[in-house]
Amino acid sequence: MKHSYLALFIAASLTTNFYAHAAQSAANTDSIERIEVAGQTIKSQGLSVKDATINGPFGDNLALQDIARSVTPISSELIEQLNITTLQDVLAVSPNTYSASGFGAPSLPTIRGQLGELFQDGTRRQAGNNGFGVPLSFNSVEQIDVVKGAPPVLFGSSQRNGGFVNLHSKAASTDESKGKVKISAGRWDQYSAQVDYTAPIIKDKVGLRVSYEHLDEGSYYDYSGTKSDSLFAALRILPDDKSSWDINFELYQVEFTDNAGINRPTQALIDDGLYITGQGVQANGSTVPAAGSIVSPTGQVKIDRSTVLTDPDNQNEATTYLIHSIYKRELSANASLKNITYFQHLQREEIAQNSFVEIIDGADTAQNRTELTYRWNSDQQTIFAFDVRYNKVLGYSQFTTEADLPIDLTGPLSNRRIPLTDAQKARLVELSPGVFVSPGGQYDLDNDGSGDFNLSDTTDSRSWQTGLAIQQDSDWGDKLHTSVGYRIDFYDVEANDPIAPQGQVAASDSINETLHSGQVSFNYKINADYTTYGAASYNEATSNSMAGGTSLGSGNTISAQNFATENTLVEFGLKYAPTDSDWYADGAVFSQRRSLRNRDGSNTGIRTTGFESQVFYDAYPYWLSAGYSYIDARYDNSASSQDSAQVIDAFDNSRPDIIAGTGVGAPSFTAFAPSNRQVQGIPEQSFSFNGNYSINSKWQMGFSGLYTKSYPLDFLATVKIRDQYTLNVNTSYAFTPSTKLRLDVNNVTNQKNWRPVFEGGYFGATLAFPELPINAKLTLTHNF
């Protein structure tokens, strides 16, 4: 469009000149002067990452080639094109983002082999406990930035450091009214509807946007489904030509299923779908699943992949609301101010028939960050930031009596249910009639020197995080740019037992810690098309439990290890972003050392090295992208643990024709000695590709695919998920410029693929998640 305007301007100028000299020209020649004006058609469809503007992590209004990190910005057009509806879907376009299933409802991204953080508009959202938490609605999202490596100093110390996703909220328009209605229907009675409308309240001054989304989805999996409502509202105020104020609000309510996949993941199950039958038996003869149960195999059958560890009587729901405020003001020609305020309230309740309980009876998080940017001259800029974050969590948890391997999924529902014995109840506390949870501290009732209770994540905790950050950006001529940043965070944390056993003084503790982080990077423009970069960062982070709370550990104290998560990154890359071409490409090599929070609250060091690359081509009528990643993820001479050492421990050797079991019993928590073994559950290599072709102005066809190389499911690598791929196709037809119908067919070759259930491999010898078979969805979109 801008080239067309330029052409018109040139044409007007030349025409004026022509008339000014027309008489003289006529006198000198009988010929008619011809003036030809050429304009270049804009071919971009908004599907290339090259044209994205990135705000927040490293500063504002930055182009992709100017950021010294591996980044994949996903625009609203690309979100629609790739049919992104969950965090797992970003792996279709961003390398090194392969993830576990997150018990069927992932709440956190997985980047470079570890859980990453989830930010929205530059502030860290509450999310799940090690990836298991509340599903994420994209109703409020306009753009998704996927960044590899620990958050930068402006974002501050956090918990997870593989990388992060920064969600950009939808913004209201102050100059035009427009809206969109989208409805979809898919296989297994999956229905959704969304209405999105924005309009100016005061022209060029105040705008409002409202978006509502409803999901009512059945499921391929037994006893599964999702029902949710998301209401989002955005207000944009432009007081003058030097300031802006965006205020966003979202209310989200969801009922969803905790889906643990299929247990007993032998190689025969992964390769051929063969499941070993037989209910586990305790030493006392009980068939209720419990630690140490042993299975005597009764046969081997082909299991329906929809038969998973769910229960129709499970309760699982959550409600959350969020408020974001982003105020920007140009203070002078050299100084600008940005203030970001965030508040989120979360409540969640899951009471499962297998004795698992997680109840968040109120989690409140508030954060305010003020950034002052001062440009000393055309080459030097400093960003100062002051950040305060408050987190309060009241939650109850109980996961100590779960037992998955003893369950025979092919039997009656009673096989899966774990009614607590009187002895088990005695080691817990009754929260409400029939609901037992762990206390938030340990107590020795009989004075025998050992605690008499089972502990999990129950807590009533509060934390204050106060951070000071500085980032210096410098241009050293036309080619070299450097950035140096440092941040210090002061933590003030206290934790209390909210449900101490009767007659006991509630345990409590407090701790004060100081955490540091720093970063340094450079960009060097080799020429107009190529930019090379290097980055290094050091980050001290925290380990938290559900909703970011802090639980009491050994001796009823807050473990200092919760603040001993050290993370390092070294990354070098090359970016190709020519201004006169429709291509974009980049590649990066990296080495990261980071800590992974274990289920028992400890930290395990993991070192990853690898390479990743992405390529985009966007020029009507074609759009193509491809991504490749290689990662070598290993324990950094660190210990690890699993629910059971290996799947064969669950079986005896009574049927060696089926399986040579060890008879150890399962689950049997196993801690592995420090090693440098490959981290389970992560494919070393993956390759993704996407494409779209516009047959004409109305009809488009597209495709996408993902290939992952074989990788071990468990620590000892006794079971592997083989090489596997998924192919998807889509087509859309625009009946009018405003109305479009799209058909998506996923897994068109009906591959029987698998993935891990839980990040970090804790359930690698216990569970595996069967991915969906071929399925289709029809979506109608109307813009007005």
Side-chain angles (χ1 to χ4, degrees):
M1 184 63 70
K2 63 183 179 181
H3 296 288
S4 300
Y5 289 152
L6 179 61
L8 289 173
F9 175 78
I10 294 173
S13 300
L14 291 177
T15 302
T16 301
N17 186 65
F18 171 75
Y19 282 118
H21 298 85
Q24 181 178 353
S25 299
N28 295 335
T29 179
D30 294 331
S31 62
I32 299 175
E33 183 178 355
R34 296 181 60 193
I35 300 175
E36 296 184 0
V37 179
Q40 180 181 350
T41 302
I42 301 299
K43 298 187 292 181
S44 173
Q45 303 167 85
L47 299 176
S48 176
V49 299
K50 180 174 68 172
D51 302 320
T53 298
I54 300 170
N55 295 303
F58 308 96
D60 287 343
N61 302 314
L62 297 177
L64 182 59
Q65 60 268 31
D66 295 330
I67 297 176
R69 281 284 192 92
S70 177
V71 183
T72 306
I74 306 173
S75 64
S76 57
E77 293 84 1
L78 197 51
I79 291 173
E80 180 178 351
Q81 173 61 38
L82 295 172
N83 192 28
I84 293 176
T85 59
T86 73
L87 281 174
Q88 284 184 334
D89 295 334
V90 301
L91 63 89
V93 67
S94 182
N96 260 327
T97 56
Y98 184 80
S99 64
S101 74
F103 289 96
S107 63
L108 290 168
T110 300
I111 301 173
R112 290 181 176 171
Q114 191 205 358
L115 284 173
E117 287 290 8
L118 180 64
F119 291 82
Q120 185 161 5
D121 298 325
T123 55
R124 179 160 49 105
R125 284 183 54 141
Q126 287 178 357
N129 180 5
N130 279 12
F132 173 57
V134 180
L136 176 69
S137 169
F138 282 85
N139 180 47
S140 65
V141 176
E142 188 78 32
Q143 179 172 314
I144 305 169
D145 293 338
V146 184
V147 185
K148 316 299 171 56
V153 295
L154 291 180
F155 279 11
S157 175
S158 59
Q159 179 179 353
R160 306 166 184 94
N161 293 276
F164 62 94
V165 167
N166 188 30
L167 307 175
H168 295 272
S169 298
K170 294 175 178 177
S173 173
T174 60
D175 57 4
E176 64 174 336
S177 300
K178 59 183 178 180
K180 180 173 69 174
V181 176
K182 182 168 67 174
I183 57 175
S184 68
R187 193 179 179 188
W188 308 301
D189 296 322
Q190 297 192 343
Y191 305 103
S192 67
Q194 184 188 62
V195 180
D196 187 351
Y197 182 73
T198 183
I201 299 175
I202 301 175
K203 182 73 172 178
D204 298 326
K205 290 290 185 180
V206 182
L208 177 67
R209 184 169 185 171
V210 177
S211 183
Y212 171 73
E213 180 186 62
H214 174 72
L215 272 64
D216 189 347
E217 297 183 340
S219 177
Y220 163 73
Y221 306 105
D222 292 347
Y223 315 120
S224 297
T226 301
K227 290 185 179 180
S228 70
D229 293 278
S230 170
L231 175 63
F232 173 78
L235 182 68
R236 165 162 283 190
I237 302 172
L238 304 177
D240 49 48
D241 61 353
K242 297 183 181 298
S243 58
S244 66
W245 190 12
D246 288 283
I247 306 170
N248 306 320
F249 171 81
E250 181 181 10
L251 173 63
Y252 179 59
Q253 192 279 330
V254 62
E255 299 176 17
F256 62 103
T257 303
D258 174 357
N259 186 342
I262 298 178
N263 62 344
R264 304 180 182 178
T266 63
Q267 198 64 58
L269 176 69
I270 300 301
D271 293 346
D272 304 310
L274 297 176
Y275 184 84
I276 301 174
T277 60
Q279 184 75 354
V281 180
Q282 298 184 40
N284 62 7
S286 172
T287 58
V288 173
S293 296
I294 298 175
V295 180
S296 296
T298 58
Q300 194 172 35
V301 300
K302 194 91 169 179
I303 192 170
D304 192 316
R305 290 167 59 88
S306 66
T307 304
V308 291
L309 277 167
T310 54
D311 193 298
D313 291 340
N314 287 352
Q315 304 174 45
N316 198 11
E317 60 184 359
T319 300
T320 185
Y321 61 85
L322 304 89
I323 301 171
H324 280 92
S325 167
I326 306 170
Y327 177 77
K328 298 180 181 180
R329 181 166 181 81
E330 183 182 331
L331 301 176
S332 68
N334 296 328
S336 62
L337 177 76
K338 179 166 68 171
N339 181 271
I340 303 173
T341 302
Y342 152 77
F343 176 80
Q344 181 176 3
H345 174 78
L346 169 68
Q347 287 185 285
R348 175 169 184 251
E349 179 175 273
E350 178 177 5
I351 301 174
Q353 297 302 306
N354 69 344
S355 74
F356 177 83
V357 176
E358 182 168 290
I359 297 174
I360 299 175
D361 202 18
D364 295 304
T365 303
Q367 183 172 353
N368 182 274
R369 183 169 71 248
T370 299
E371 298 176 12
L372 175 65
T373 301
Y374 190 83
R375 180 167 286 279
W376 304 94
N377 53 49
S378 60
D379 298 327
Q380 302 293 326
Q381 172 182 285
T382 306
I383 303 175
F384 303 93
F386 176 70
D387 204 345
V388 178
R389 182 180 175 92
Y390 173 75
N391 192 59
K392 179 183 182 300
V393 178
L394 174 59
Y396 307 92
S397 176
Q398 152 44 17
F399 51 68
T400 62
T401 56
E402 286 182 84
D404 296 324
L405 276 175
I407 295 170
D408 183 352
L409 271 180
T410 65
L413 282 174
S414 59
N415 280 6
R416 314 177 186 190
R417 296 177 172 173
I418 305 178
L420 298 178
T421 65
D422 290 340
Q424 289 172 324
K425 292 177 182 178
R427 296 187 62 83
L428 303 169
V429 179
E430 191 169 21
L431 176 66
S432 60
V435 178
F436 289 83
V437 298
S438 298
Q442 186 59 270
Y443 305 91
D444 182 9
L445 300 183
D446 56 11
N447 297 312
D448 66 351
S450 61
D452 297 318
F453 292 88
N454 296 343
L455 299 185
S456 50
D457 282 335
T458 295
T459 187
D460 180 5
S461 62
R462 297 166 185 82
S463 67
W464 283 96
Q465 175 186 351
T466 304
L468 296 169
I470 183 171
Q471 177 175 305
Q472 178 67 33
D473 299 318
S474 305
D475 291 320
W476 309 98
D478 296 333
K479 291 182 177 293
L480 179 63
H481 173 85
T482 62
S483 180
V484 180
Y486 169 76
R487 174 163 174 151
I488 184 170
D489 281 282
F490 303 96
Y491 278 86
D492 182 3
V493 184
E494 65 176 62
N496 305 278
D497 180 1
I499 189 168
Q502 187 173 4
Q504 299 297 306
V505 177
S508 64
D509 191 28
S510 62
I511 193 170
N512 294 281
E513 292 286 344
T514 302
L515 277 66
H516 304 268
S517 58
Q519 64 189 42
V520 59
S521 66
F522 74 87
N523 298 70
Y524 183 78
K525 285 186 175 295
I526 300 174
N527 53 41
D529 295 342
Y530 290 94
T531 302
T532 186
Y533 72 87
S537 74
Y538 170 81
N539 175 281
E540 294 176 346
T542 63
S543 292
N544 306 108
S545 57
M546 57 180 174
T550 301
S551 300
L552 294 173
S554 177
N556 288 340
T557 61
I558 299 174
S559 173
Q561 190 176 27
N562 287 350
F563 304 88
T565 307
E566 297 183 347
N567 307 274
T568 59
L569 165 70
V570 177
E571 179 179 321
F572 294 96
L574 178 68
K575 298 184 179 183
Y576 172 67
T579 57
D580 57 350
S581 172
D582 303 306
W583 289 93
Y584 172 83
D586 65 33
V589 293
F590 62 88
S591 175
Q592 287 186 210
R593 189 201 183 277
R594 57 194 186 276
S595 291
L596 176 73
R597 181 181 183 269
N598 299 318
R599 196 165 185 240
D600 63 359
S602 63
N603 294 322
T604 293
I606 294 176
R607 183 176 294 278
T608 60
T609 56
F611 168 78
E612 59 203 20
S613 178
Q614 57 187 355
V615 178
F616 286 83
Y617 176 80
D618 180 19
Y620 184 86
Y622 298 101
W623 171 74
L624 298 167
S625 79
Y628 170 78
S629 62
Y630 167 81
I631 184 170
D632 181 22
R634 296 187 175 275
Y635 291 101
D636 191 17
N637 194 31
S638 290
S640 183
S641 60
Q642 273 184 179
D643 184 50
S644 294
Q646 50 189 340
V647 67
I648 61 175
D649 289 346
F651 305 97
D652 62 24
N653 199 30
S654 60
R655 290 291 304 273
D657 55 315
I658 297 176
I659 190 168
T662 64
V664 170
S668 52
F669 174 82
T670 304
F672 298 105
S675 72
N676 298 106
R677 292 181 68 98
Q678 179 182 356
V679 177
Q680 65 271 37
I682 304 171
E684 278 190 330
Q685 298 184 64
S686 63
F687 174 69
S688 63
F689 54 92
N690 306 275
N692 178 274
Y693 173 68
S694 297
I695 298 173
N696 52 46
S697 60
K698 295 183 176 181
W699 187 15
Q700 296 181 339
M701 299 189 70
F703 61 87
S704 65
L706 174 69
Y707 163 82
T708 55
K709 192 166 181 57
S710 174
Y711 59 92
L713 185 59
D714 62 320
F715 179 85
L716 297 176
T718 62
V719 176
K720 291 187 176 182
I721 292 180
R722 308 295 191 185
D723 292 19
Q724 56 187 26
Y725 67 89
T726 304
L727 297 176
N728 311 313
V729 296
N730 66 80
T731 184
S732 63
Y733 187 82
F735 297 98
T736 71
S738 301
T739 306
K740 180 172 67 175
L741 184 67
R742 170 169 167 148
L743 173 67
D744 286 273
V745 182
N746 302 311
N747 193 10
V748 292
T749 57
N750 204 27
Q751 298 299 298
K752 294 178 172 56
N753 293 333
W754 300 85
R755 71 172 62 211
V757 166
F758 192 70
E759 302 292 346
Y762 183 81
F763 292 106
T766 306
L767 304 168
F769 194 85
E771 295 190 22
L772 292 174
I774 183 172
N775 62 93
K777 181 173 74 172
L778 199 63
T779 303
L780 178 66
T781 304
H782 176 70
N783 295 287
F784 59 93

